[in-house]
Amino acid sequence: MSEVDDLRRDVALANRILERLGLSSAFGHASARIAGTNTFLLPTRRSPGLAQADNLLVLDTEGRIVAGEGEPNSEFWIHARLYAARTDVGGVVHAHPPACVCLTQIGQPHRVLHNQGGIFAGGVPEYSRIGLIRSRELGDLVAMTLGQGIATMMRGHGITTAFPDVRSATVAACYLEESAALQLRMLSAAGGDASKLQPYTREEAEFLRDQVSGNVAKRAWEYFAAVAEATPIGGGQR
Ligand SMILES: [Zn+2]
């Protein structure tokens, strides 16, 4: 099996993880750059829960379909322009996870409040403009908001993560949603008083920043993949 075949399997699985783990329902998508090129694998315009390795499209950073049958997901510009802006990025996830969406609408920035949140020590900038990313210009705006970081939260919309590979981008998306869900619970337990929370200091958070690298990422991916394979479509918690 070729490297691209392996990548196709990873991309399809990453998409199913997004749906099975409750980060997306009918919408959302994960992609991966074909190494050493300006092209990437992206599912057709369906729920990520329906993605299969043999029905992915190949697009380039100008948003052109290079190979495959069908129409891409309408927010393909997020992926195209992030790969254009960042040669270090090999995997991108865009999803609409509920806890992250809630957090963008209560005036609270993402905070590092538990260990798995440590990877976001550099901050999660917010993309405040509402609506879908259906143009090259808006794709560039998302890439600019994310900058050299690893994630952005998009107001009333969702999240985008960008990593060297699609597995890490997917694991990080799951961590970001877990982190946002815990932040909401902590805020609620604290009567909505954010000053009662005890965010990790920058130093503490930096200490935990390797949560999506090496063996930790491998173990997380293995688990999320197993859950995705064992869960029927629509069976994820939201
Ligand atoms: Zn979206």
Side-chain angles (χ1 to χ4, degrees):
M1 194 170 275
S2 74
E3 258 180 48
V4 176
D5 286 337
D6 286 344
L7 196 61
R8 282 181 172 275
R9 279 200 331 203
D10 272 9
V11 171
L13 188 49
N15 278 278
R16 294 199 298 274
I17 287 171
L18 297 183
E19 193 274 336
R20 300 301 198 278
L21 273 289
L23 273 71
S24 275
S25 52
F27 311 100
H29 18 87
S31 70
R33 184 196 294 273
I34 297 174
T37 75
N38 68 341
T39 64
F40 58 96
L41 294 165
L42 183 77
T44 53
R45 197 170 182 179
R46 306 174 79 192
S47 163
L50 298 168
Q52 295 294 336
D54 60 4
N55 64 8
L56 301 175
L57 301 175
V58 180
L59 271 72
D60 70 13
T61 51
E62 293 301 319
R64 295 175 293 227
I65 299 173
V66 176
E69 293 288 324
E71 200 181 336
N73 275 289
S74 68
E75 293 190 289
F76 63 84
W77 284 114
I78 295 172
H79 304 260
R81 301 317 293 164
L82 261 167
Y83 290 123
R86 296 267 301 272
T87 53
D88 61 313
V89 169
V92 172
V93 163
H94 173 67
H96 302 163
C100 288
V101 174
C102 287
L103 206 53
T104 65
Q105 291 290 26
I106 59 169
Q108 291 292 319
H110 175 266
R111 295 179 201 280
V112 178
L113 293 161
H114 84 310
N115 291 351
Q116 272 74 28
I119 56 161
F120 303 105
V124 181
E126 188 180 309
Y127 175 88
S128 58
R129 186 171 170 155
I130 60 154
L132 300 181
I133 312 302
R134 285 180 166 167
S135 70
R136 180 193 169 104
E137 291 68 30
L138 290 177
D140 283 336
L141 203 53
V142 171
M144 201 186 305
T145 304
L146 200 139
Q148 293 304 305
I150 57 174
T152 177
M153 286 211 188
M154 304 157 81
R155 185 166 70 93
H157 182 174
I159 61 167
T160 296
T161 61
F163 277 77
D165 63 272
V166 67
R167 292 187 178 196
S168 299
T170 306
V171 168
C174 293
Y175 284 167
L176 189 54
E177 175 64 353
E178 176 181 292
S179 178
L182 285 172
Q183 186 171 342
L184 292 174
R185 280 172 73 173
M186 290 177 198
L187 265 173
S188 181
D193 183 354
S195 71
K196 287 186 177 167
L197 306 187
Q198 298 177 56
Y200 288 14
T201 64
R202 180 70 189 239
E203 194 181 25
E204 286 172 334
E206 291 285 354
F207 179 68
L208 296 159
R209 214 171 169 172
D210 64 350
Q211 298 286 337
V212 289
S213 63
N215 288 334
V216 181
K218 207 170 158 185
R219 182 166 157 178
W221 170 264
E222 178 188 47
Y223 171 72
F224 293 137
V227 170
E229 299 296 29
T231 307
I233 190 162
Q237 291 184 351
R238 282 179 68 83

